[in-house]
């Protein structure tokens, strides 16, 4: 069999005590990890569901709404509150450009942030038409 153990009784008892201490430590660690996993699962089960829509609030006394987000949008700020679908569709100043709540709500014509300035395509020569190129329809 296994003859690599010490032959005397004193050293065999010492090894038994040492291994018992390690088994106790391992059992305690297993119990702690199982307790932590149970707490995590319990926390997930008790977590309230995400709201369908949130309104990001501004800074100040009245805290007016700034943007509307979908409930799962990670771009929403920390100052927010849950709203229902009707309030989300009716009371926002701007729609989030990340989660696009206006598209999800099927609401057309809402402002998406600051109104952009009209874009002008550059001329083929790479400069503005009024600088060095003739007016459209004229020959050089």
């Amino acid at each position: 069999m296994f003859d690599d153990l010490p032959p005397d009784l004193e050293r065999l008892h010492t090894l038994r005590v040492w291994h018992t201490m390690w088994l106790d430590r391992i059992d305690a660690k297993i119990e702690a990890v199982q307790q932590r996993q149970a707490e995590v699962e319990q926390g997930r089960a008790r977590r309230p569901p995400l709201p369908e829509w949130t309104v990001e609030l501004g800074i100040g006394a009245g805290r007016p709404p700034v943007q509307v987000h979908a409930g799962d949008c990670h771009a929403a700020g920390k100052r927010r509150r849950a709203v229902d679908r009707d309030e989300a569709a009716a009371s926002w100043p701007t729609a989030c450009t990340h989660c696009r709540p206006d598209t999800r709500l099927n609401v057309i014509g809402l402002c998406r942030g600051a109104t952009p300035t009209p874009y002008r395509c550059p001329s083929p020569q790479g400069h503005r038409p009024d600088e060095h190129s003739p007016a459209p329809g004229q020959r050089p």
Side-chain angles (χ1 to χ4, degrees), residues 21-105:
M21 288 184 344
W22 270 102
L23 283 175
D24 290 342
R25 288 184 67 193
I26 292 170
D27 289 342
K29 184 67 173 189
I30 288 171
E31 186 178 335
V33 169
Q34 287 175 337
Q35 176 69 26
R36 178 66 185 140
Q37 286 178 345
E39 289 172 358
V40 168
E41 289 302 318
Q42 187 178 25
R44 284 188 187 133
R46 289 184 176 179
R47 183 178 298 149
L50 288 175
E52 191 174 1
W53 309 102
T54 60
V55 174
E56 186 175 349
L57 302 171
I59 300 174
R63 296 177 63 151
V66 178
Q67 273 189 332
V68 170
H69 300 270
D72 59 350
C73 180
H74 70 272
K78 292 184 179 184
R79 294 178 315 273
R80 60 181 173 217
R81 67 178 171 88
V83 295
D84 61 0
R85 182 179 181 83
D86 295 334
E87 186 177 352
S91 66
W92 63 31
T94 60
C96 174
T97 57
H98 173 73
C99 64
R100 304 286 304 265
D102 52 346
T103 311
R104 291 186 186 186
L105 287 166

Side-chain angles (χ1 to χ4, degrees), residues 111-119:
C111 177
R112 285 193 189 112
T115 307
T117 57
Y119 177 73

